Amino acid sequence: MPETPKGKFEVAKLSIAGNPNIGVYIHASDTYALIPPGLAEKEVSIIRDVLDVDNIVELTVFNMKLLGVLVAGNSNGVLLPRTITDEELRKLKEALGDVNIAVLDTVENALGNLVVANSKAALVYPYFEPRVVKVIEDTLGVEAHRMSVGGISVVGSVVVVTERGGLVCPEASEDEVKTLSSIFKVPMLQGTVNFGVSFIRAGLVANSRGALVGEDTTGPELARIQLALGGGGD
């Protein structure tokens, strides 16, 4: 398995308007973070400092703030639902520059729940049509793998992965954890957020330099997340 990135990895708690489900609002990679408008200055500062990203883009999708649910991607590309407006799409293209951007022609809109990727691979909703999977691969620059995890087909909601490591829900089998590690080329561990929530993406946003977790996340959960996403899970 390739050596994981070294250096700083910070984990911090965050809530948005008192809501610990921060992952439904934020989508981030190593090069950018997409956040909804109206966040407090302190919240934006925490996001910038912990994830160590300079390019923070305020965005809505179809005037909705649930970017973590609606958007998927990695540092190479961003996947958007077809409900995004022309003005929202134009703004994002201007903000992200050379990052690939694709609007998926599919009835599924909650792409953040259906796709999870790092720079090595993507895991996608097993019922996507082949043409949709091809667009995902071309946009993100990786091979896409279709599978369920722990009997859950909305894989983006139960897996979080970076260039260092990954976290997956406790329902994943031992074989599935090994398969995910092989697919993403990083060590994977099982864990929860926000006091036992298995849908970990709802309370977790991470890249290779840091992770933001919901305010209800416990000490043992924090330690597990630090170990998994900080690259210490091998």
Side-chain angles (χ1 to χ4, degrees), residues 104-137:
L104 293 190
D105 183 17
T106 173
V107 296
E108 288 86 9
N109 291 327
L111 301 183
N113 288 339
L114 305 178
V115 180
V116 55
N118 64 3
S119 69
K120 308 295 193 307
L123 187 69
V124 305
Y125 182 58
Y127 306 112
F128 272 143
E129 296 178 24
R131 61 176 178 78
V132 174
V133 175
K134 180 66 164 58
V135 173
I136 293 171
E137 292 181 326

mmCIF file of all heavy atoms in Angstrom, residues 104-137:
data_model
loop_
_atom_site.group_PDB
_atom_site.id
_atom_site.type_symbol
_atom_site.label_atom_id
_atom_site.label_comp_id
_atom_site.label_asym_id
_atom_site.label_seq_id
_atom_site.Cartn_x
_atom_site.Cartn_y
_atom_site.Cartn_z
ATOM 1 N N LEU A 104 -24.632 15.566 -13.614
ATOM 2 C CA LEU A 104 -25.026 14.204 -13.944
ATOM 3 C C LEU A 104 -26.482 14.142 -14.412
ATOM 4 O O LEU A 104 -27.380 14.629 -13.733
ATOM 5 C CB LEU A 104 -24.849 13.284 -12.739
ATOM 6 C CG LEU A 104 -23.412 13.016 -12.274
ATOM 7 C CD1 LEU A 104 -23.398 11.893 -11.235
ATOM 8 C CD2 LEU A 104 -22.496 12.653 -13.435
ATOM 9 N N ASP A 105 -26.670 13.541 -15.561
ATOM 10 C CA ASP A 105 -28.007 13.375 -16.124
ATOM 11 C C ASP A 105 -28.633 12.116 -15.543
ATOM 12 O O ASP A 105 -28.649 11.048 -16.149
ATOM 13 C CB ASP A 105 -27.918 13.280 -17.644
ATOM 14 C CG ASP A 105 -29.294 13.176 -18.293
ATOM 15 O OD1 ASP A 105 -30.297 13.496 -17.601
ATOM 16 O OD2 ASP A 105 -29.369 12.768 -19.457
ATOM 17 N N THR A 106 -29.134 12.252 -14.322
ATOM 18 C CA THR A 106 -29.751 11.129 -13.627
ATOM 19 C C THR A 106 -30.837 11.664 -12.706
ATOM 20 O O THR A 106 -30.781 12.823 -12.279
ATOM 21 C CB THR A 106 -28.702 10.339 -12.814
ATOM 22 O OG1 THR A 106 -29.352 9.344 -12.020
ATOM 23 C CG2 THR A 106 -27.916 11.244 -11.892
ATOM 24 N N VAL A 107 -31.814 10.831 -12.415
ATOM 25 C CA VAL A 107 -32.922 11.265 -11.554
ATOM 26 C C VAL A 107 -32.471 11.423 -10.110
ATOM 27 O O VAL A 107 -33.120 12.115 -9.324
ATOM 28 C CB VAL A 107 -34.111 10.287 -11.613
ATOM 29 C CG1 VAL A 107 -34.702 10.261 -13.016
ATOM 30 C CG2 VAL A 107 -33.695 8.893 -11.193
ATOM 31 N N GLU A 108 -31.355 10.781 -9.739
ATOM 32 C CA GLU A 108 -30.862 10.894 -8.369
ATOM 33 C C GLU A 108 -30.190 12.254 -8.171
ATOM 34 O O GLU A 108 -29.303 12.637 -8.928
ATOM 35 C CB GLU A 108 -29.863 9.769 -8.058
ATOM 36 C CG GLU A 108 -30.483 8.403 -7.902
ATOM 37 C CD GLU A 108 -30.653 7.669 -9.211
ATOM 38 O OE1 GLU A 108 -30.127 8.159 -10.233
ATOM 39 O OE2 GLU A 108 -31.304 6.614 -9.217
ATOM 40 N N ASN A 109 -30.605 12.965 -7.138
ATOM 41 C CA ASN A 109 -30.047 14.287 -6.867
ATOM 42 C C ASN A 109 -29.072 14.314 -5.697
ATOM 43 O O ASN A 109 -28.193 15.176 -5.644
ATOM 44 C CB ASN A 109 -31.173 15.290 -6.589
ATOM 45 C CG ASN A 109 -31.995 15.599 -7.826
ATOM 46 O OD1 ASN A 109 -31.475 15.612 -8.939
ATOM 47 N ND2 ASN A 109 -33.278 15.822 -7.633
ATOM 48 N N ALA A 110 -29.215 13.390 -4.756
ATOM 49 C CA ALA A 110 -28.388 13.412 -3.544
ATOM 50 C C ALA A 110 -27.045 12.734 -3.812
ATOM 51 O O ALA A 110 -26.716 11.690 -3.250
ATOM 52 C CB ALA A 110 -29.123 12.731 -2.396
ATOM 53 N N LEU A 111 -26.235 13.362 -4.667
ATOM 54 C CA LEU A 111 -24.998 12.728 -5.128
ATOM 55 C C LEU A 111 -23.984 12.539 -4.012
ATOM 56 O O LEU A 111 -23.174 11.607 -4.051
ATOM 57 C CB LEU A 111 -24.383 13.558 -6.261
ATOM 58 C CG LEU A 111 -25.275 13.768 -7.493
ATOM 59 C CD1 LEU A 111 -24.520 14.538 -8.556
ATOM 60 C CD2 LEU A 111 -25.776 12.436 -8.035
ATOM 61 N N GLY A 112 -24.016 13.393 -3.001
ATOM 62 C CA GLY A 112 -23.111 13.226 -1.880
ATOM 63 C C GLY A 112 -23.355 11.939 -1.116
ATOM 64 O O GLY A 112 -22.444 11.404 -0.481
ATOM 65 N N ASN A 113 -24.573 11.425 -1.191
ATOM 66 C CA ASN A 113 -24.909 10.154 -0.555
ATOM 67 C C ASN A 113 -24.609 8.955 -1.454
ATOM 68 O O ASN A 113 -24.668 7.809 -0.998
ATOM 69 C CB ASN A 113 -26.390 10.105 -0.180
ATOM 70 C CG ASN A 113 -26.723 11.006 0.992
ATOM 71 O OD1 ASN A 113 -25.861 11.364 1.772
ATOM 72 N ND2 ASN A 113 -27.987 11.382 1.101
ATOM 73 N N LEU A 114 -24.294 9.222 -2.723
ATOM 74 C CA LEU A 114 -24.190 8.153 -3.714
ATOM 75 C C LEU A 114 -22.779 7.944 -4.254
ATOM 76 O O LEU A 114 -22.519 6.923 -4.902
ATOM 77 C CB LEU A 114 -25.131 8.441 -4.887
ATOM 78 C CG LEU A 114 -26.606 8.662 -4.525
ATOM 79 C CD1 LEU A 114 -27.403 8.980 -5.775
ATOM 80 C CD2 LEU A 114 -27.175 7.449 -3.817
ATOM 81 N N VAL A 115 -21.891 8.887 -4.017
ATOM 82 C CA VAL A 115 -20.522 8.805 -4.538
ATOM 83 C C VAL A 115 -19.542 9.246 -3.461
ATOM 84 O O VAL A 115 -19.757 10.258 -2.789
ATOM 85 C CB VAL A 115 -20.330 9.716 -5.779
ATOM 86 C CG1 VAL A 115 -18.895 9.609 -6.299
ATOM 87 C CG2 VAL A 115 -21.323 9.368 -6.880
ATOM 88 N N VAL A 116 -18.450 8.484 -3.295
ATOM 89 C CA VAL A 116 -17.370 8.890 -2.403
ATOM 90 C C VAL A 116 -16.063 8.578 -3.118
ATOM 91 O O VAL A 116 -15.920 7.527 -3.736
ATOM 92 C CB VAL A 116 -17.455 8.183 -1.034
ATOM 93 C CG1 VAL A 116 -17.495 6.672 -1.188
ATOM 94 C CG2 VAL A 116 -16.307 8.600 -0.136
ATOM 95 N N ALA A 117 -15.093 9.510 -3.059
ATOM 96 C CA ALA A 117 -13.878 9.332 -3.849
ATOM 97 C C ALA A 117 -12.675 9.978 -3.187
ATOM 98 O O ALA A 117 -12.807 10.964 -2.450
ATOM 99 C CB ALA A 117 -14.067 9.932 -5.244
ATOM 100 N N ASN A 118 -11.500 9.411 -3.469
ATOM 101 C CA ASN A 118 -10.246 10.125 -3.258
ATOM 102 C C ASN A 118 -9.546 10.193 -4.618
ATOM 103 O O ASN A 118 -10.216 10.050 -5.652
ATOM 104 C CB ASN A 118 -9.386 9.473 -2.161
ATOM 105 C CG ASN A 118 -8.921 8.061 -2.496
ATOM 106 O OD1 ASN A 118 -9.177 7.533 -3.582
ATOM 107 N ND2 ASN A 118 -8.259 7.430 -1.553
ATOM 108 N N SER A 119 -8.243 10.411 -4.662
ATOM 109 C CA SER A 119 -7.577 10.549 -5.953
ATOM 110 C C SER A 119 -7.245 9.208 -6.592
ATOM 111 O O SER A 119 -6.732 9.161 -7.715
ATOM 112 C CB SER A 119 -6.284 11.362 -5.788
ATOM 113 O OG SER A 119 -5.323 10.614 -5.056
ATOM 114 N N LYS A 120 -7.540 8.106 -5.894
ATOM 115 C CA LYS A 120 -7.221 6.770 -6.397
ATOM 116 C C LYS A 120 -8.433 6.053 -6.987
ATOM 117 O O LYS A 120 -8.290 5.244 -7.901
ATOM 118 C CB LYS A 120 -6.646 5.895 -5.267
ATOM 119 C CG LYS A 120 -5.481 6.500 -4.502
ATOM 120 C CD LYS A 120 -4.259 6.673 -5.378
ATOM 121 C CE LYS A 120 -3.021 6.963 -4.534
ATOM 122 N NZ LYS A 120 -3.169 8.083 -3.598
ATOM 123 N N ALA A 121 -9.615 6.308 -6.460
ATOM 124 C CA ALA A 121 -10.793 5.555 -6.872
ATOM 125 C C ALA A 121 -12.061 6.242 -6.398
ATOM 126 O O ALA A 121 -12.021 7.171 -5.580
ATOM 127 C CB ALA A 121 -10.740 4.128 -6.307
ATOM 128 N N ALA A 122 -13.183 5.753 -6.910
ATOM 129 C CA ALA A 122 -14.498 6.205 -6.450
ATOM 130 C C ALA A 122 -15.356 4.986 -6.159
ATOM 131 O O ALA A 122 -15.254 3.955 -6.838
ATOM 132 C CB ALA A 122 -15.176 7.079 -7.489
ATOM 133 N N LEU A 123 -16.177 5.095 -5.140
ATOM 134 C CA LEU A 123 -17.185 4.095 -4.822
ATOM 135 C C LEU A 123 -18.530 4.736 -5.130
ATOM 136 O O LEU A 123 -18.796 5.859 -4.682
ATOM 137 C CB LEU A 123 -17.099 3.703 -3.347
ATOM 138 C CG LEU A 123 -17.973 2.542 -2.885
ATOM 139 C CD1 LEU A 123 -17.466 1.238 -3.480
ATOM 140 C CD2 LEU A 123 -17.996 2.472 -1.361
ATOM 141 N N VAL A 124 -19.370 4.040 -5.905
ATOM 142 C CA VAL A 124 -20.601 4.675 -6.363
ATOM 143 C C VAL A 124 -21.817 3.783 -6.120
ATOM 144 O O VAL A 124 -21.713 2.559 -5.979
ATOM 145 C CB VAL A 124 -20.519 5.041 -7.866
ATOM 146 C CG1 VAL A 124 -19.308 5.904 -8.142
ATOM 147 C CG2 VAL A 124 -20.504 3.803 -8.756
ATOM 148 N N TYR A 125 -22.934 4.425 -6.092
ATOM 149 C CA TYR A 125 -24.253 3.787 -5.981
ATOM 150 C C TYR A 125 -24.347 2.637 -6.981
ATOM 151 O O TYR A 125 -24.127 2.829 -8.181
ATOM 152 C CB TYR A 125 -25.293 4.860 -6.290
ATOM 153 C CG TYR A 125 -26.736 4.477 -6.200
ATOM 154 C CD1 TYR A 125 -27.292 3.983 -5.026
ATOM 155 C CD2 TYR A 125 -27.579 4.674 -7.304
ATOM 156 C CE1 TYR A 125 -28.648 3.675 -4.955
ATOM 157 C CE2 TYR A 125 -28.936 4.380 -7.237
ATOM 158 C CZ TYR A 125 -29.460 3.878 -6.058
ATOM 159 O OH TYR A 125 -30.797 3.588 -5.991
ATOM 160 N N PRO A 126 -24.637 1.427 -6.533
ATOM 161 C CA PRO A 126 -24.570 0.266 -7.426
ATOM 162 C C PRO A 126 -25.602 0.262 -8.543
ATOM 163 O O PRO A 126 -25.468 -0.504 -9.503
ATOM 164 C CB PRO A 126 -24.773 -0.928 -6.483
ATOM 165 C CG PRO A 126 -25.409 -0.372 -5.257
ATOM 166 C CD PRO A 126 -24.924 1.030 -5.128
ATOM 167 N N TYR A 127 -26.606 1.117 -8.456
ATOM 168 C CA TYR A 127 -27.670 1.109 -9.461
ATOM 169 C C TYR A 127 -27.550 2.245 -10.477
ATOM 170 O O TYR A 127 -28.459 2.449 -11.281
ATOM 171 C CB TYR A 127 -29.033 1.142 -8.771
ATOM 172 C CG TYR A 127 -29.177 0.037 -7.751
ATOM 173 C CD1 TYR A 127 -29.239 0.319 -6.392
ATOM 174 C CD2 TYR A 127 -29.199 -1.300 -8.149
ATOM 175 C CE1 TYR A 127 -29.344 -0.711 -5.456
ATOM 176 C CE2 TYR A 127 -29.298 -2.323 -7.216
ATOM 177 C CZ TYR A 127 -29.373 -2.011 -5.881
ATOM 178 O OH TYR A 127 -29.453 -3.026 -4.949
ATOM 179 N N PHE A 128 -26.444 2.972 -10.455
ATOM 180 C CA PHE A 128 -26.205 3.965 -11.501
ATOM 181 C C PHE A 128 -26.104 3.286 -12.862
ATOM 182 O O PHE A 128 -25.526 2.199 -12.996
ATOM 183 C CB PHE A 128 -24.899 4.721 -11.256
ATOM 184 C CG PHE A 128 -25.025 5.937 -10.392
ATOM 185 C CD1 PHE A 128 -24.010 6.263 -9.497
ATOM 186 C CD2 PHE A 128 -26.112 6.785 -10.480
ATOM 187 C CE1 PHE A 128 -24.088 7.394 -8.707
ATOM 188 C CE2 PHE A 128 -26.208 7.913 -9.684
ATOM 189 C CZ PHE A 128 -25.195 8.224 -8.795
ATOM 190 N N GLU A 129 -26.623 3.943 -13.891
ATOM 191 C CA GLU A 129 -26.476 3.434 -15.254
ATOM 192 C C GLU A 129 -25.020 3.537 -15.685
ATOM 193 O O GLU A 129 -24.287 4.426 -15.238
ATOM 194 C CB GLU A 129 -27.359 4.246 -16.203
ATOM 195 C CG GLU A 129 -28.845 4.132 -15.929
ATOM 196 C CD GLU A 129 -29.659 4.998 -16.869
ATOM 197 O OE1 GLU A 129 -29.175 5.317 -17.977
ATOM 198 O OE2 GLU A 129 -30.790 5.368 -16.502
ATOM 199 N N PRO A 130 -24.560 2.625 -16.570
ATOM 200 C CA PRO A 130 -23.169 2.648 -17.024
ATOM 201 C C PRO A 130 -22.725 3.997 -17.577
ATOM 202 O O PRO A 130 -21.589 4.423 -17.346
ATOM 203 C CB PRO A 130 -23.137 1.563 -18.104
ATOM 204 C CG PRO A 130 -24.210 0.596 -17.694
ATOM 205 C CD PRO A 130 -25.292 1.441 -17.096
ATOM 206 N N ARG A 131 -23.609 4.688 -18.296
ATOM 207 C CA ARG A 131 -23.225 5.982 -18.870
ATOM 208 C C ARG A 131 -22.959 7.011 -17.765
ATOM 209 O O ARG A 131 -22.088 7.886 -17.923
ATOM 210 C CB ARG A 131 -24.304 6.501 -19.823
ATOM 211 C CG ARG A 131 -25.656 6.739 -19.154
ATOM 212 C CD ARG A 131 -26.687 7.349 -20.087
ATOM 213 N NE ARG A 131 -27.963 7.521 -19.428
ATOM 214 C CZ ARG A 131 -28.247 8.504 -18.574
ATOM 215 N NH1 ARG A 131 -27.328 9.426 -18.318
ATOM 216 N NH2 ARG A 131 -29.435 8.577 -17.998
ATOM 217 N N VAL A 132 -23.685 6.912 -16.665
ATOM 218 C CA VAL A 132 -23.468 7.829 -15.544
ATOM 219 C C VAL A 132 -22.134 7.513 -14.871
ATOM 220 O O VAL A 132 -21.364 8.415 -14.530
ATOM 221 C CB VAL A 132 -24.627 7.736 -14.529
ATOM 222 C CG1 VAL A 132 -24.334 8.576 -13.285
ATOM 223 C CG2 VAL A 132 -25.937 8.182 -15.178
ATOM 224 N N VAL A 133 -21.842 6.222 -14.696
ATOM 225 C CA VAL A 133 -20.572 5.810 -14.104
ATOM 226 C C VAL A 133 -19.409 6.305 -14.947
ATOM 227 O O VAL A 133 -18.385 6.762 -14.428
ATOM 228 C CB VAL A 133 -20.512 4.279 -13.943
ATOM 229 C CG1 VAL A 133 -19.144 3.838 -13.432
ATOM 230 C CG2 VAL A 133 -21.605 3.802 -12.990
ATOM 231 N N LYS A 134 -19.550 6.265 -16.273
ATOM 232 C CA LYS A 134 -18.489 6.735 -17.179
ATOM 233 C C LYS A 134 -18.231 8.230 -16.982
ATOM 234 O O LYS A 134 -17.068 8.669 -16.948
ATOM 235 C CB LYS A 134 -18.887 6.463 -18.628
ATOM 236 C CG LYS A 134 -17.868 6.911 -19.663
ATOM 237 C CD LYS A 134 -16.576 6.115 -19.566
ATOM 238 C CE LYS A 134 -15.708 6.260 -20.812
ATOM 239 N NZ LYS A 134 -15.341 7.646 -21.135
ATOM 240 N N VAL A 135 -19.274 9.016 -16.845
ATOM 241 C CA VAL A 135 -19.108 10.455 -16.606
ATOM 242 C C VAL A 135 -18.408 10.696 -15.270
ATOM 243 O O VAL A 135 -17.537 11.560 -15.154
ATOM 244 C CB VAL A 135 -20.471 11.182 -16.650
ATOM 245 C CG1 VAL A 135 -20.307 12.647 -16.242
ATOM 246 C CG2 VAL A 135 -21.083 11.083 -18.039
ATOM 247 N N ILE A 136 -18.783 9.930 -14.256
ATOM 248 C CA ILE A 136 -18.135 10.041 -12.946
ATOM 249 C C ILE A 136 -16.645 9.764 -13.077
ATOM 250 O O ILE A 136 -15.803 10.522 -12.566
ATOM 251 C CB ILE A 136 -18.793 9.074 -11.940
ATOM 252 C CG1 ILE A 136 -20.228 9.507 -11.640
ATOM 253 C CG2 ILE A 136 -17.973 9.008 -10.644
ATOM 254 C CD1 ILE A 136 -21.018 8.502 -10.829
ATOM 255 N N GLU A 137 -16.288 8.699 -13.764
ATOM 256 C CA GLU A 137 -14.878 8.339 -13.931
ATOM 257 C C GLU A 137 -14.117 9.424 -14.688
ATOM 258 O O GLU A 137 -13.006 9.811 -14.293
ATOM 259 C CB GLU A 137 -14.764 7.007 -14.670
ATOM 260 C CG GLU A 137 -15.259 5.822 -13.850
ATOM 261 C CD GLU A 137 -15.125 4.508 -14.587
ATOM 262 O OE1 GLU A 137 -15.273 4.506 -15.836
ATOM 263 O OE2 GLU A 137 -14.876 3.478 -13.923
#
